[in-house]
């Protein structure tokens, strides 16, 4: 049967070509009986959402050094975890990471549940992540559908219907392809195939292990798939970001509300972000306008924040936020947007 042939070809290729990743058990070790640590599988999958493997590696190693088990992470301080996550983006992931670790400890005795249905009840675990953990950590035949695997499916079976409407069809193909034996390695093999051979542009069909069974290659349409519905243009929101510094070097920062963008992260105060923002300085001061603008793109919109900078006296009381003394101010704990604001304003603040 064609599916069985494809499945066998993919696993053979994976055995010889698996990427070495810090959260992965190599296929040889897996066959020798070494089981993956569900905590490391879960942590890597949360970090990899919307983020590249190259960007995640360093964060993963750092997190697992600081918090080697789910119990350690569950006991961590919120601010410490949010600070270490800074720069990785999509901060709701970090808040849910802590909630999930604490739920695993409180409700499951520190052991991750093994089925997709149970995993889906945990904070921050959606259908993709539940399937990935069930498959990779517990070797359950759950089809794991990420962008790479959707692309491979649409090409292997020459699905011309555009994404996202083709998702159910692609999943049905992936289900038929998933073997009962070694489903975890099969999922990782598909991820690797999509990341290294069946790439978005210029797929390397000439060295692909499944080229004989690939419908898109046979029809000469591999690089045209998957087709996608046109994306809507992203709107632009505007706002102001306020960098205030006291004479002793302390810098005004606030923790953003848990709900909303950059929720729970340390940040410089800002106005609202909208088409017509209103200035909302966090304290009375002679705010300077250095004619500089921070630009950042979120998933659904572009953001442009005009910079405002002030040097203030020790007696000034902000209406929100707290002054953080210079020794305790860690720019690395700021999310990328705020790091950009700091880099723009640091000259005016006199920081080297
Ligand atoms: Fe992708 Fe080409 Fe392999 Fe088909 S033959 S799966 S299009 S790399």
């Amino acid at each position: 049967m064609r599916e069985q042939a494809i499945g066998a070809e993919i696993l053979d290729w994976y055995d010889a070509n698996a990427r070495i990743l810090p959260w992965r058990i190599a296929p040889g070790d897996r066959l020798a009986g070494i089981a993956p640590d569900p905590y490391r599988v879960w942590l890597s999958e949360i970090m990899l959402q919307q983020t590249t493997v190259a960007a995640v590696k360093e964060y993963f190693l750092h997190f697992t050094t600081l918090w080697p088990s789910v119990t350690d992470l569950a006991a961590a301080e919120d601010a410490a975890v949010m600070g270490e996550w800074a720069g990785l983006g999509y901060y709701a992931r970090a808040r849910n990471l802590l909630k999930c670790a604490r739920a695993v400890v409180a409700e499951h005795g520190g052991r991750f549940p093994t089925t997709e249905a149970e995993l889906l009840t945990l904070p921050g675990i959606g259908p993709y992540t539940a399937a990935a953990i069930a498959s990779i950590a517990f070797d359950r035949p759950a089809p794991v559908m990420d962008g790479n695997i959707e692309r491979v499916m649409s090409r292997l079976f020459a699905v011309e219907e555009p994404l996202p409407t083709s998702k159910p069809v692609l999943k049905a193909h992936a289900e038929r392809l998933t073997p009962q034996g070694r489903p975890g390695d099969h999922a990782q093999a598909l991820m690797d195939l999509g990341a290294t051979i069946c790439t978005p542009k210029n797929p390397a069909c000439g060295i692909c292990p499944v080229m004989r069974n690939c419908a898109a290659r046979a029809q000469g349409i591999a690089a045209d798939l998957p087709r996608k519905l046109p994306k809507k243009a992203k709107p632009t929101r505007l706002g102001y970001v306020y960098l205030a510094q006291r004479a002793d070097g302390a810098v005004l920062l606030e923790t953003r509300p848990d709900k909303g963008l950059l929720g729970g992260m340390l940040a410089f105060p800002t106005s609202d972000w909208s088409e017509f923002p209103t200035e909302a300085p966090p304290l009375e001061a002679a705010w300077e306008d250095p004619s500089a603008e921070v630009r950042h793109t979120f998933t659904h919109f572009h953001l442009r924040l005009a910079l405002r900078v002030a040097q203030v006296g020790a007696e000034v009381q902000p209406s929100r936020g707290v002054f953080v003394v210079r020794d305790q101010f860690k720019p690395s704990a700021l999310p990328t947007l705020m790091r950009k604001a700091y880099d723009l304003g640091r000259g005016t603040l006199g920081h080297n």
Side-chain angles (χ1 to χ4, degrees):
M1 208 173 117
R2 183 173 168 228
E3 274 83 3
Q4 281 174 347
I6 294 173
E9 285 167 342
I10 289 173
L11 274 177
D12 284 350
W13 173 82
Y14 181 70
D15 286 343
N17 298 282
R19 286 179 294 173
I20 296 167
L21 301 170
W23 47 84
R24 174 176 282 176
I25 301 296
D29 291 340
R30 190 85 185 84
L31 287 171
I34 299 176
D37 177 352
Y39 168 64
R40 292 168 70 89
V41 173
W42 163 74
L43 182 61
S44 67
E45 288 299 337
I46 300 294
M47 287 183 163
L48 285 164
Q49 289 167 9
Q50 319 274 353
T51 310
T52 63
V53 166
V56 163
K57 278 183 184 171
E58 194 185 328
Y59 281 86
F60 178 84
L61 292 170
H62 198 57
F63 264 67
T64 48
T65 302
L66 287 171
W67 302 295
S69 72
V70 70
T71 312
D72 296 319
L73 184 62
E77 300 236 344
D78 289 34
V81 173
M82 300 307 282
E84 295 299 337
W85 192 277
L88 207 48
Y90 297 93
Y91 296 99
R93 293 183 297 171
R95 296 195 299 281
N96 281 328
L97 193 77
L98 269 170
K99 284 186 198 156
C100 183
R102 288 168 185 162
V104 168
V105 169
E107 294 160 25
H108 299 274
R111 299 168 78 89
F112 277 85
T114 65
T115 65
E116 273 181 282
E118 288 172 297
L119 287 160
L120 274 170
T121 65
L122 291 168
I125 296 189
Y128 166 78
T129 310
I133 298 170
S135 167
I136 298 170
F138 301 112
D139 238 356
R140 290 181 179 264
V144 183
M145 300 306 292
D146 68 357
N148 278 331
I149 296 178
E150 283 175 353
R151 184 170 60 255
V152 173
M153 290 303 130
S154 54
R155 288 173 175 169
L156 269 178
F157 299 98
V159 176
E160 300 229 28
E161 190 182 359
L163 280 168
T165 42
S166 59
K167 278 176 183 271
V169 175
L170 300 178
K171 187 170 181 195
H173 282 304
E175 269 166 4
R176 280 195 291 277
L177 210 57
T178 302
Q180 290 300 313
R182 300 181 65 194
D185 279 351
H186 171 82
Q188 293 176 96
L190 282 177
M191 289 172 181
D192 283 15
L193 188 73
T196 62
I197 304 262
C198 194
T199 49
K201 290 179 191 156
N202 305 318
C205 301
I207 56 166
C208 177
V210 289
M211 63 189 206
R212 280 185 304 279
N213 279 302
C214 179
R217 178 175 181 267
Q219 295 172 32
I221 56 170
D224 302 331
L225 300 182
R227 300 197 197 285
K228 292 182 182 164
L229 291 174
K231 281 189 186 158
K232 282 192 203 149
K234 285 184 188 182
T236 297
R237 293 188 197 169
L238 307 174
Y240 301 90
V241 57
Y242 300 95
L243 272 64
Q245 178 172 255
R246 269 190 335 216
D248 62 1
V251 176
L252 183 64
L253 292 165
E254 66 178 3
T255 302
R256 290 184 62 86
D258 271 353
K259 290 226 164 11
L261 284 162
L262 310 184
M265 295 300 291
L266 208 55
F268 298 110
T270 73
S271 67
D272 61 315
W273 305 348
S274 61
E275 195 178 352
F276 303 107
T278 308
E279 284 252 21
L283 48 76
E284 295 262 343
W287 288 99
E288 287 177 45
D289 174 2
S291 299
E293 191 178 70
V294 184
R295 293 184 176 212
H296 194 74
T297 295
F298 289 99
T299 311
H300 299 298
F301 63 95
H302 302 293
L303 180 65
R304 289 163 46 189
L305 296 181
L307 188 65
R308 297 287 185 263
V309 181
Q311 304 281 355
V312 300
E315 72 292 348
V316 169
Q317 291 297 322
S319 59
R320 59 189 204 270
V322 290
F323 278 98
V324 175
V325 295
R326 189 71 192 274
D327 285 358
Q328 287 173 17
F329 172 51
K330 272 175 51 186
S332 63
L334 297 172
T336 304
L337 167 67
M338 294 298 158
R339 190 64 202 264
K340 288 180 186 173
Y342 175 66
D343 288 343
L344 264 184
R346 62 192 297 173
T348 315
L349 293 175
H351 294 199
N352 297 323

